[in-house]
Amino acid sequence: MAFLVIRENGFTVQCLVQAQPDTVSPQMVKFAAALSRESIVDVEGVVSIPAAPIKGATQQVEIQVRKLYCISRAVPTLPINLEDAARSEIEIEKALQAGEQLVRVNQDTRLNFRVLDVRTPANQGIFRIQSHVANAFRQFLLSESFVEIHTPKLIAGSSEGGAAVFRLDYKGQPACLAQSPQLHKQMSICGDFGRVFEIGPVFRAEDSYTHRHLCEFTGLDVEMEIKKHYFEVMDIVDRLFVAMFDSLNQHCKKDLEAVGSQYPFEPLKYLRNTLRLTYEEGIQMLKDVGIEIEPFGDLNTEAERKLGQLVLEKYGTEFYILHRYPLAVRPFYTMPCYDNPAYSNSFDVFIRGEEIISGAQRVHVPEFLEQRAAACGIDVKTISTYIDSFRYGAPPHGGFGVGLERVVMLFCGLNNIRKTSLFPRDPLRIAP
Amino acid sequence: MAFLVIRENGFTVQCLVQAQPDTVSPQMVKFAAALSRESIVDVEGVVSIPAAPIKGATQQVEIQVRKLYCISRAVPTLPINLEDAARSEIEIEKALQAGEQLVRVNQDTRLNFRVLDVRTPANQGIFRIQSHVANAFRQFLLSESFVEIHTPKLIAGSSEGGAAVFRLDYKGQPACLAQSPQLHKQMSICGDFGRVFEIGPVFRAEDSYTHRHLCEFTGLDVEMEIKKHYFEVMDIVDRLFVAMFDSLNQHCKKDLEAVGSQYPFEPLKYLRNTLRLTYEEGIQMLKDVGIEIEPFGDLNTEAERKLGQLVLEKYGTEFYILHRYPLAVRPFYTMPCYDNPAYSNSFDVFIRGEEIISGAQRVHVPEFLEQRAAACGIDVKTISTYIDSFRYGAPPHGGFGVGLERVVMLFCGLNNIRKTSLFPRDPLRIAP
């Protein structure tokens, strides 16, 4: 007698290979027992209710095997055992207390053998949730008359300035990889599309070794005409993300459970109407508990996290918008506040105390844009095609950008962005 | 009295600025008359039925202006007049016969001032159709249990070999831009996702100056487990594209009309069940009209076009699948036919006589994959992480890739792929 536990379409089923006159030979039982783990088999058999409950199977049925073919044979010794890769920290700790040492698979080993690692239920859940996030994002925006665009990743010059760009030779011309679709999505608004969005890779050559930075990630970008006020952009953020979170909770229950059973997390707390605080209100809340923030500076990661805690305590939400940031800490193309140019028509959005969205109204007046670029130390000549786009009639507009991997990481309360990138790229990793 | 024709949400409306006691001053009329074209205005007024029909407006109503604000002033002399950019060849020819020379805006000028060029009704239509194609693609696949993935564009080595890759320095390591998600989408299948798709940029450093090649375009990629036969992949192609064409014809009527009124085309002829011919049948059809094709070679562009004609005449379709290509003309990872290894489990798909899709069953046996790579002159060491992915149990699988810009170009019968790329990249163009 031999047991095989097989996975198919997210289910695991136990297959019983037992010698039987006429149908199953002892040789077949031997063949089944000798199959290496993770080999792929075709099975023909009779579905039945097993005598004893089956451990480790999602279905309490059994297939009594009649025919068995090995379609793809895995190497006998796998670099990762799936059992180990699927184990939660809690399980490891519990075993340790009982005097048993269980294998813990470290991050690098997981990523080196990613095709094995992603077979765990938690990882299957993570990437199915990721697929759902992108689709919820798109469906909401399409229903609000946004047009999906695809802007070039290969550009002359650097997309937003700074040193963190990947440079390359483009048919003899110096070029770089877009750090965001910022310039081209704005140009699309100048092209009369009214409201646009894009889902695509963005490239950052930063030497960041944190839990939340990657050198390549998937950007969810939005840009839209503004009729009266930059709050129109925040309204879209508000309704879009509430709709997305609702949709995830409703449609991804099994995937969220799969993630939670290996990496336990509390469901995200969010309000029906997203909380909006001004930057001034935010730093006042921090000041009230004794944390001094430079009024025209920026929040560091620690202050953001602390403010997230305070907001959760006071307002009962882990998702909120902080707006009207000091102009000095925003990119050159950010529109200053009309009533006080030390502030700007901009916002960041936070999940569980971490920034995930950055947005703003943009400067649409070419002369003023030139002036702002120069004031920020940018050589205006290098972005002339961008600035020229505003000379032929440009509507007031704004938008925002989100990292897909961060949304999934923070919605699921995961501790590392490498968990939500299928084949992550960081300063030390460009394979597999 | 002054007239302004304004565009808003795809409509054009005539605004009448006429001096009136109490409401409209002569100064305002003068201000309106002096506004440069393509400037953006806010208008407050009374909607009414005009005395005479309005030329060039989509709506036969008029706004009698009471208040008028210029939000963004365009430069007085535009590099392209929209009237010129929106003109069809037929109109130009007709005028010429009547002795009048109308301005024809050439492709390069259009692309240099793309933000103006895309404001024409035809271009607005093209990119709204493009948005719809991507969405139809996704919705169909999601409904068939495919998972959307995002694979890295930055990779070590070259994704499919060959010289046509953009190379760059990745933190001191040699790297390149993915020529397709081929390897990583296959690795995702090895990762147990069952069925995956991706929409994202692909990069080709080819020196192609044709009407249908770009250095960067949007790839629509699919990969899936195969249970029994590579026809399962062709079944998806068949149903996916028929659903997409139906959806375009049903939901994009206005956009298709807008394209057709500048660039006239016949609606695509396609069957409810997509025609499938073997490569052998295809070359026999060509042979029957006196065109000799090397039986184990490939079709050149001219032969493809001719075969498209013959298929249209015989079967009444401009969309068909040609499969069972000679193995020698397909990439190393293509699965040979089990009954004749000179052929392969592969296919191309054609619209209006041009290839748009390439697909196949892939080799999932690592030893055989190594052998095929070596036979095709590829250094196996450079693709070892890819080949190793198949050593831990790999299901039989196949897939295909499509260029989004080509689908739109050929569905609309356009003559140049630069028309369906928002900011095209070719060997000579990396701006705007």
Side-chain angles (χ1 to χ4, degrees):
Chain A
M1 190 161 69
F3 289 111
L4 299 173
V5 174
I6 59 167
R7 296 191 304 273
E8 178 71 26
N9 297 331
F11 296 112
T12 53
V13 180
Q14 174 173 283
C15 295
L16 172 66
V17 193
Q18 190 167 24
Q20 296 196 354
D22 304 333
T23 51
V24 179
S25 66
Q27 282 81 356
M28 189 170 129
V29 178
K30 202 174 154 196
F31 173 81
L35 279 173
S36 50
R37 285 178 188 205
E38 294 300 309
S39 293
I40 293 174
V41 291
D42 272 359
V43 161
E44 206 179 291
V46 179
V47 175
S48 65
I49 305 293
I54 309 166
K55 245 188 97 178
T58 58
Q59 300 297 299
Q60 291 301 319
V61 293
E62 188 173 73
I63 299 172
Q64 295 188 10
V65 176
R66 293 289 174 267
K67 288 181 182 172
L68 179 66
Y69 306 90
C70 182
I71 300 303
S72 171
R73 195 177 291 269
V75 292
T77 311
L78 295 170
I80 300 177
N81 279 324
L82 277 209
E83 221 172 38
D84 297 334
R87 195 170 285 137
S88 72
E89 277 299 310
I90 295 169
E91 216 178 319
I92 294 174
E93 290 301 325
K94 263 192 193 160
L96 206 60
Q97 281 163 17
E100 194 190 354
Q101 180 106 35
L102 295 178
V103 172
R104 177 186 279 129
V105 186
N106 75 33
Q107 183 91 281
D108 258 355
T109 308
R110 288 179 186 276
L111 297 182
N112 288 339
F113 302 100
R114 193 63 162 159
V115 297
L116 273 164
D117 181 42
V118 292
R119 294 179 192 175
T120 63
N123 277 337
Q124 288 286 314
I126 285 170
F127 291 101
R128 289 181 153 84
I129 289 165
Q130 192 191 73
S131 177
H132 196 89
V133 166
N135 200 44
F137 179 83
R138 272 189 305 252
Q139 293 315 308
F140 177 87
L141 293 172
L142 289 172
S143 76
E144 298 269 337
S145 305
F146 283 77
V147 178
E148 182 173 15
I149 56 169
H150 302 278
T151 65
K153 306 308 157 207
L154 288 166
I155 54 173
S158 66
S159 58
E160 294 181 57
V165 295
F166 288 107
R167 302 190 180 284
L168 73 160
D169 173 77
Y170 185 91
K171 303 281 166 196
Q173 295 179 63
C176 72
L177 295 178
Q179 290 169 284
S180 87
Q182 183 63 35
L183 309 190
H184 286 92
K185 73 179 178 172
Q186 285 190 254
M187 288 158 75
S188 304
I189 294 300
C190 293
D192 248 10
F193 287 105
R195 308 180 127 194
V196 298
F197 73 93
E198 176 163 13
I199 298 184
V202 298
F203 305 93
R204 307 277 167 93
E206 284 166 296
D207 282 321
S208 296
Y209 298 86
T210 75
H211 75 285
R212 64 197 205 117
H213 286 94
L214 290 171
C215 289
E216 179 179 348
F217 62 89
T218 307
L220 310 177
D221 267 273
V222 168
E223 202 71 21
M224 59 189 269
E225 285 185 12
I226 289 175
K227 298 298 176 194
K228 290 186 176 164
H229 200 282
Y230 74 98
F231 278 19
E232 292 161 31
V233 183
M234 283 159 53
D235 290 344
I236 290 286
V237 169
D238 176 358
R239 292 191 296 121
L240 165 58
F241 277 80
V242 170
M244 184 194 287
F245 298 152
D246 285 352
S247 180
L248 284 170
N249 285 329
Q250 194 184 338
H251 299 295
C252 297
K253 277 206 178 75
K254 283 180 86 164
D255 292 319
L256 290 166
E257 275 169 28
V259 177
S261 70
Q262 180 165 6
Y263 307 112
F265 68 97
E266 287 293 312
L268 185 74
K269 291 185 186 69
Y270 59 100
L271 306 174
R272 300 318 305 166
N273 293 304
T274 304
L275 175 71
R276 299 170 188 200
L277 297 171
T278 63
Y279 184 80
E280 269 187 300
E281 289 167 336
I283 62 171
Q284 185 60 49
M285 283 175 74
L286 287 167
K287 199 175 181 179
D288 291 347
V289 295
I291 299 165
E292 281 294 337
I293 304 289
E294 220 268 278
F296 296 103
D298 206 349
L299 299 179
N300 60 25
T301 307
E302 201 191 333
E304 286 177 353
R305 208 177 283 269
K306 182 65 194 170
L307 185 56
Q309 262 177 37
L310 297 174
V311 166
L312 176 58
E313 285 160 21
K314 184 166 177 185
Y315 299 100
T317 181
E318 294 171 301
F319 178 71
Y320 74 99
I321 302 174
L322 196 66
H323 66 102
R324 211 177 144 90
Y325 268 70
L327 183 65
V329 301
R330 309 299 288 201
F332 74 92
Y333 46 73
T334 309
M335 184 66 96
C337 289
Y338 75 100
D339 60 338
N340 184 351
Y343 291 103
S344 62
N345 291 354
S346 66
F347 59 90
D348 276 5
V349 185
F350 297 86
I351 301 187
R352 301 189 200 263
E354 294 198 36
E355 184 251 305
I356 53 149
I357 304 176
S358 211
Q361 182 181 350
R362 328 294 186 182
V363 176
H364 65 280
V365 183
E367 297 76 18
F368 186 46
L369 192 57
E370 279 179 323
Q371 188 187 317
R372 288 291 307 143
C376 293
I378 291 165
D379 182 359
V380 174
K381 266 174 277 158
T382 62
I383 50 166
S384 63
T385 52
Y386 166 66
I387 292 180
D388 287 345
S389 309
F390 300 98
R391 300 194 196 280
Y392 317 121
H397 63 286
F400 59 92
V402 196
L404 173 60
E405 293 82 357
R406 278 200 191 172
V407 174
V408 178
M409 171 176 82
L410 292 171
F411 187 80
C412 295
L414 294 165
N415 63 359
N416 197 312
I417 199 145
R418 289 161 187 77
K419 288 195 170 77
T420 59
S421 174
L422 196 49
F423 297 100
R425 295 291 180 255
D426 66 28
L428 297 174
R429 178 176 289 282
I430 193 176
Chain B
M1 191 161 68
F3 289 111
L4 299 173
V5 174
I6 59 168
R7 297 192 303 274
E8 177 72 25
N9 298 331
F11 296 112
T12 54
V13 181
Q14 175 173 283
C15 295
L16 171 66
V17 193
Q18 190 166 26
Q20 296 196 354
D22 304 331
T23 52
V24 179
S25 67
Q27 282 80 356
M28 192 170 127
V29 178
K30 203 175 153 194
F31 173 82
L35 279 172
S36 50
R37 285 179 188 204
E38 293 301 309
S39 293
I40 293 175
V41 291
D42 272 359
V43 161
E44 205 179 292
V46 178
V47 176
S48 64
I49 305 293
I54 310 166
K55 244 188 96 177
T58 58
Q59 300 298 300
Q60 290 302 318
V61 292
E62 187 172 73
I63 298 173
Q64 296 186 10
V65 176
R66 293 289 174 267
K67 289 182 183 173
L68 180 64
Y69 306 89
C70 181
I71 299 303
S72 171
R73 196 177 289 271
V75 292
T77 310
L78 296 169
I80 299 176
N81 279 324
L82 277 208
E83 222 171 38
D84 298 334
R87 196 171 283 137
S88 73
E89 278 299 310
I90 295 168
E91 217 178 319
I92 295 172
E93 289 301 324
K94 263 192 193 160
L96 206 61
Q97 281 162 18
E100 194 191 353
Q101 181 105 35
L102 295 177
V103 173
R104 176 186 280 129
V105 186
N106 75 33
Q107 183 91 284
D108 259 354
T109 308
R110 288 179 186 277
L111 297 182
N112 288 339
F113 302 99
R114 192 64 162 159
V115 297
L116 273 164
D117 181 41
V118 291
R119 294 179 191 174
T120 63
N123 277 338
Q124 288 286 313
I126 285 170
F127 292 101
R128 288 180 153 83
I129 290 165
Q130 192 190 73
S131 178
H132 195 89
V133 166
N135 200 44
F137 178 82
R138 273 190 303 253
Q139 292 315 309
F140 177 87
L141 293 172
L142 289 172
S143 76
E144 298 270 337
S145 304
F146 283 78
V147 178
E148 182 173 14
I149 56 169
H150 302 279
T151 65
K153 306 308 156 204
L154 288 166
I155 54 173
S158 65
S159 57
E160 294 181 56
V165 296
F166 289 106
R167 301 189 181 283
L168 73 159
D169 172 78
Y170 186 90
K171 303 280 164 196
Q173 294 179 65
C176 72
L177 295 178
Q179 292 169 283
S180 87
Q182 184 64 34
L183 309 190
H184 286 91
K185 72 178 179 174
Q186 284 190 255
M187 286 158 77
S188 304
I189 295 300
C190 294
D192 247 9
F193 288 105
R195 308 181 127 194
V196 298
F197 72 93
E198 177 165 12
I199 298 184
V202 299
F203 305 94
R204 307 278 167 92
E206 285 165 297
D207 283 320
S208 296
Y209 298 86
T210 75
H211 75 287
R212 64 196 205 116
H213 286 95
L214 290 170
C215 288
E216 179 180 348
F217 63 88
T218 307
L220 309 177
D221 267 273
V222 168
E223 201 71 22
M224 58 189 270
E225 285 184 12
I226 289 175
K227 298 298 175 194
K228 289 186 176 165
H229 200 282
Y230 74 98
F231 278 18
E232 292 161 32
V233 183
M234 283 160 51
D235 290 344
I236 290 286
V237 170
D238 176 358
R239 291 191 297 121
L240 164 59
F241 277 81
V242 170
M244 184 193 288
F245 298 152
D246 285 352
S247 180
L248 284 170
N249 286 329
Q250 193 184 339
H251 299 294
C252 297
K253 278 205 177 77
K254 282 181 86 164
D255 292 320
L256 290 166
E257 274 170 28
V259 177
S261 70
Q262 180 165 6
Y263 307 111
F265 69 95
E266 288 293 314
L268 185 74
K269 290 185 186 68
Y270 60 99
L271 306 174
R272 299 318 304 165
N273 293 304
T274 303
L275 174 71
R276 298 169 189 201
L277 298 171
T278 63
Y279 184 81
E280 271 187 296
E281 288 167 338
I283 63 172
Q284 185 60 49
M285 282 175 74
L286 287 167
K287 199 175 179 177
D288 290 347
V289 295
I291 299 166
E292 281 293 338
I293 304 289
E294 219 266 278
F296 295 102
D298 206 349
L299 299 178
N300 61 24
T301 308
E302 201 190 333
E304 286 176 354
R305 208 177 282 270
K306 182 66 194 170
L307 184 56
Q309 261 178 37
L310 298 174
V311 166
L312 176 59
E313 285 160 20
K314 184 166 177 185
Y315 298 100
T317 181
E318 294 171 300
F319 177 72
Y320 73 99
I321 302 174
L322 195 66
H323 67 101
R324 211 178 143 92
Y325 269 71
L327 183 64
V329 300
R330 309 298 287 201
F332 74 92
Y333 47 72
T334 309
M335 184 67 95
C337 288
Y338 75 100
D339 60 339
N340 184 350
Y343 290 104
S344 61
N345 291 354
S346 66
F347 58 89
D348 276 3
V349 185
F350 296 86
I351 300 186
R352 301 190 200 263
E354 293 196 36
E355 184 251 306
I356 52 149
I357 304 175
S358 211
Q361 181 180 352
R362 329 294 186 181
V363 176
H364 64 280
V365 183
E367 296 76 19
F368 186 46
L369 192 57
E370 279 179 324
Q371 188 188 318
R372 289 290 308 143
C376 292
I378 290 165
D379 181 358
V380 174
K381 266 174 277 157
T382 62
I383 50 166
S384 63
T385 52
Y386 166 67
I387 292 179
D388 286 346
S389 308
F390 300 98
R391 300 194 196 281
Y392 316 121
H397 62 285
F400 58 92
V402 196
L404 174 60
E405 293 82 357
R406 279 199 192 172
V407 174
V408 178
M409 171 176 84
L410 293 171
F411 187 79
C412 295
L414 294 165
N415 63 0
N416 196 311
I417 199 145
R418 288 159 189 78
K419 288 196 170 76
T420 59
S421 174
L422 196 49
F423 297 100
R425 296 291 180 256
D426 65 29
L428 297 173
R429 178 174 291 281
I430 192 177

